[in-house]
Amino acid sequence: QRLAAWAFHQQKAIGLPHITALTTLGIERWPASAAPRDLLPGTPGGDLYLPVQSTSGVEAVLYVGARRDGAPYSPHDARLLVSIAHLVAGFLERQRFEMAAARVEALREAERLKSTLISSVSHELKTPLAAVTAGITGLLEGDVAWDPAAVRSELEAVSGDLAHLNDSIGALLDLSRLKADAWTVTRDWYEF
């Protein structure tokens, strides 16, 4: 674990074979490497620790145990392992981009739902308000002679519309409190 942590923080591999300029491996981004014995004296060689590095930095460390026959990894073996580390880095970065895209899409959908909700709420508030206004305006007009039963009927309709308006406003206030985290969830045990 100490060697993996060192490889992660130093962004250097541990245990890779030394590559000279004359080597024709044909691999780009060959990581700098240190020997395990130089970092922790008494550590047996053979294990490889490869930093999995993306454009965002080191994502993880790929650990490859020593070969069963005890022979060191050849430059060609190490090339394959370094390529695998690069593929893992690409995979992790792609996952991060997909998660970011999903978050952006979720925000976009939340905005759409918010817009729909505002439109719906506006309609919910305007309808009873228009009915109340029409009912009261009709009662105030002096060109109609209202009998007490008709006045009572109109006032009951206005009262019902006001109750509907009050319920809608209460629901809006509850929603704003919910969004402001003014409500807390209390959990309790229930038997079924």
Side-chain angles (χ1 to χ4, degrees):
Q1 287 181 342
R2 287 174 52 190
L3 291 175
W6 185 91
F8 184 85
H9 293 295
Q10 298 299 318
Q11 300 180 10
K12 292 182 181 176
I14 299 173
L16 281 179
H18 181 67
I19 303 296
T20 64
L22 300 176
T23 306
T24 58
L25 286 176
I27 188 167
E28 296 178 19
R29 302 182 315 172
W30 189 264
S33 182
R37 290 184 189 101
D38 296 341
L39 302 172
L40 287 174
T43 303
D47 293 347
L48 297 178
Y49 299 84
L50 303 171
V52 177
Q53 186 150 6
S54 68
T55 56
S56 303
V58 175
E59 303 278 345
V61 173
L62 176 64
Y63 168 75
V64 181
R67 292 173 53 150
R68 288 188 181 157
D69 61 6
Y73 286 102
S74 71
H76 292 287
D77 296 335
R79 177 177 70 173
L80 175 65
L81 296 171
V82 168
S83 295
I84 290 171
H86 291 320
L87 287 171
V88 169
F91 170 77
L92 293 174
E93 191 153 40
R94 179 176 174 212
Q95 275 207 313
R96 185 175 33 257
F97 288 148
E98 286 175 356
M99 287 174 58
R103 278 193 300 271
V104 166
E105 185 58 34
L107 288 173
R108 193 175 294 136
E109 180 66 11
E111 267 310 305
R112 187 189 69 74
L113 289 174
K114 184 177 169 183
S115 175
T116 303
L117 178 68
I118 289 172
S119 174
S120 176
V121 164
S122 298
H123 179 72
E124 275 293 311
L125 295 177
K126 278 185 170 184
T127 302
L129 190 59
V132 167
T133 304
I136 291 175
T137 304
L139 287 173
L140 291 175
E141 292 293 322
D143 58 348
V144 177
W146 290 93
D147 64 66
V151 170
R152 181 166 185 78
S153 174
E154 280 295 313
L155 288 176
E156 285 174 354
V158 166
S159 178
D161 289 333
L162 286 173
H164 181 72
L165 187 61
N166 188 45
D167 290 344
S168 296
I169 291 171
L172 268 178
L173 290 174
D174 289 345
L175 235 140
S176 68
R177 275 189 238 128
L178 185 64
K179 186 174 180 184
D181 293 332
W183 289 0
T184 57
V185 176
T186 53
R187 295 185 175 122
D188 205 351
W189 292 99
Y190 293 96
E191 283 190 39
F192 292 102

